Amino acid sequence: GIAPPYAWLTVFVPALAYFIGTRFQSGELGEYVSSPPTLAMSLFPKGASLQLVLPNLTGIIASQWRHNEELGRGFLLIGAQNRIWRFEVGGGPIPIGKTLFMDNSGCRSKAFRNCTGSSLEATGSGGMAIDFSGKENPFEGRLAVAEWGEGRVVRVEDTGGRTPLLMTVPDVCTPENETRGERRIEQATSLLYTSFGDLLVVENNIAPCQKSALYLLSQATSIEPIESTWESRKAHHWTSLETPKSVDVLLSLDGPTSIGGLVSDSTWTGVLTTVRRNQKTVLAKITLQDDEDDSFQVKNLLDVSNYCSDAGAIAMDKSGALFLAGDDGVVLISSSLDPLGVLPSTRPKSLTIGEDAYLYVMSDELKRIKVKNGPLKIPTNLLRKTSK
């Protein structure tokens, strides 16, 4: 046996190893790696440069800014494989760096897929969004996560319970001459709550037809929460929702195609995204509501094929300027849709503008650059119905 004076080591050493393995103390922020092109300097404060913050990030899928009212500041969430990391600089002179926010973020029950193996990205978490119902700040609220390994989209409650929001979607692979059935959602890459409480969900490479689709889950904020962790564990074995909300297919593209990230437009009645099809990549606007007929409309705004060989991440500041994931870095576009050049970097996998007025650029490492305008804030008082 272990002598009593050394028994504490059996607890302390494993705990220390776990702490080191799930935390990166950033120390001083890293080197400046590139500067904006001259045409785009109006988007950045004088002297701003892209700065390396964290190296060696693998399997990044998505990111999301989240506000903490108690701390009085926000932090960046980074979804990578089957974990979600939290990055913050902190309120004082000592940077906090990267810490583990959520383990097993996309797969924990093995009810839908095996959570272990060589392809962790296929069972990790995908898109993220903040359910801001009942909040004044759209970055504050409960986190919605696409669980690839569980085949669903859930909302993480304050109690730790996970409320399934979306499990089955219309099967866009159904031939046109047949009645469209339903299928289990698998890998949602982008999520966005609208100012009306609906949830937009992007899914690419849908088997077996390789289509891409954009779904709208109506009144997602009104779905009753599962507060109990015991009930939450039972829900892992559900194959569908007992009282599902209406799911519409806003956009369905024949493969090979792809739909990129989502941002609300400045009127809050539509979303902007990038779409790849017919060997072209375009910036597109999808109108969610029309005063006359409530139909959904898709309009191509700008051909960005010269910069982007595929659809990808997108961010927008409160002036309406856009930041797109391009082949050679971040593509910069003015609010009047004029291309302003490229901020050199490796191709971004995710882009997020935080309340701290930094644009966070994620590939296999985390970089950031100060922007002149912070993020566009979605009004939270337009919700049709809020959950308790």
Side-chain angles (χ1 to χ4, degrees):
I2 300 175
Y6 302 101
W8 63 276
L9 290 173
T10 63
V11 176
F12 175 77
V13 172
L16 179 62
Y18 180 81
F19 176 83
I20 293 173
T22 58
R23 178 179 174 91
F24 181 90
Q25 186 66 33
S26 60
E28 293 187 6
L29 299 179
E31 62 179 320
Y32 293 96
V33 293
S34 64
S35 298
T38 303
L39 283 177
M41 289 308 297
S42 61
L43 305 183
F44 304 91
K46 185 177 179 180
S49 294
L50 189 64
Q51 184 183 37
L52 177 64
V53 178
L54 289 175
N56 304 322
L57 294 175
T58 58
I60 291 178
I61 302 296
S63 58
Q64 173 66 49
W65 187 265
R66 192 180 192 190
H67 182 81
N68 187 304
E69 185 178 18
E70 294 180 357
L71 292 176
R73 63 177 187 269
F75 49 86
L76 182 70
L77 296 178
I78 306 169
Q81 296 182 332
N82 201 21
R83 286 175 168 174
I84 295 176
W85 301 94
R86 166 176 172 162
F87 173 81
E88 58 185 318
V89 175
I94 301 176
I96 295 173
K98 186 185 82 170
T99 56
L100 183 63
F101 178 79
M102 183 185 298
D103 205 3
N104 300 315
S105 56
C107 193
R108 58 179 56 195
S109 72
K110 300 184 181 180
F112 183 66
R113 282 199 178 106
N114 188 357
C115 301
T116 59
S118 58
S119 183
L120 287 177
E121 289 187 20
T123 58
S125 56
M128 295 183 284
I130 299 295
D131 178 352
F132 49 75
S133 56
K135 304 292 184 180
E136 294 184 3
N137 189 327
F139 298 108
E140 184 183 350
R142 296 165 296 180
L143 182 69
V145 181
E147 295 182 329
W148 289 6
E150 304 290 347
R152 60 185 190 170
V153 177
V154 301
R155 185 180 62 216
V156 182
E157 308 298 343
D158 295 336
T159 60
R162 298 190 177 203
T163 301
L165 304 178
L166 184 64
M167 297 185 72
T168 58
V169 292
D171 188 356
V172 296
C173 291
T174 304
E176 293 184 2
N177 59 345
E178 297 181 12
T179 301
R180 179 177 281 177
E182 291 189 337
R183 52 172 284 276
R184 191 75 173 263
I185 194 167
E186 294 195 37
Q187 293 187 1
T189 54
S190 302
L191 307 179
L192 178 70
Y193 277 97
T194 73
S195 55
F196 302 100
D198 304 323
L199 181 64
L200 296 169
V201 181
V202 171
E203 188 178 24
N204 290 309
N205 300 317
I206 299 171
C209 61
Q210 300 304 304
K211 283 188 174 183
S212 299
L214 172 63
Y215 312 107
L216 183 142
L217 175 63
S218 296
Q219 300 184 6
T221 56
S222 68
I223 294 176
E224 292 295 325
I226 293 179
E227 302 284 5
S228 163
T229 54
W230 179 74
E231 290 291 339
S232 177
R233 292 189 189 100
K234 287 177 58 178
H236 282 292
H237 299 276
W238 293 358
T239 57
S240 62
L241 301 179
E242 293 182 2
T243 55
K245 295 288 185 179
S246 172
V247 180
D248 294 308
V249 180
L250 302 191
L251 186 61
S252 174
L253 305 176
D254 292 330
T257 58
S258 58
I259 302 172
L262 303 168
V263 292
S264 176
D265 72 353
S266 57
T267 66
W268 311 298
T269 60
V271 295
L272 303 176
T273 187
T274 51
V275 174
R276 178 71 178 182
R277 61 176 167 178
N278 300 326
Q279 297 183 334
K280 283 188 175 182
T281 306
V282 298
L283 173 67
K285 177 179 178 178
I286 302 171
T287 302
L288 301 179
Q289 289 191 331
D290 185 274
D291 293 336
E292 296 180 358
D293 58 12
D294 260 356
S295 62
F296 304 107
Q297 301 175 2
V298 182
K299 180 182 180 181
N300 292 343
L301 300 179
L302 182 67
D303 188 335
V304 292
S305 303
N306 290 339
Y307 302 100
C308 311
S309 61
D310 199 0
I314 183 172
M316 184 171 71
D317 68 17
K318 61 184 178 183
S319 76
L322 292 164
F323 306 82
L324 311 181
D327 298 339
D328 299 317
V330 183
V331 182
L332 308 168
I333 299 175
S334 72
S335 58
S336 55
L337 300 182
D338 296 316
L340 302 176
V342 177
L343 176 64
S345 179
T346 51
R347 179 177 174 83
K349 296 179 181 178
S350 189
L351 297 168
T352 294
I353 299 178
E355 292 175 297
D356 56 358
Y358 276 97
L359 170 68
Y360 289 89
V361 181
M362 283 143 283
S363 52
D364 289 330
E365 54 194 10
L366 174 61
K367 303 185 185 83
R368 70 176 190 173
I369 184 172
K370 196 77 171 180
V371 292
K372 188 170 290 185
N373 297 291
L376 178 72
K377 288 193 175 182
I378 301 174
T380 62
N381 59 353
L382 302 181
L383 296 178
R384 298 190 186 102
K385 181 181 177 182
T386 59
S387 58
K388 298 178 180 179

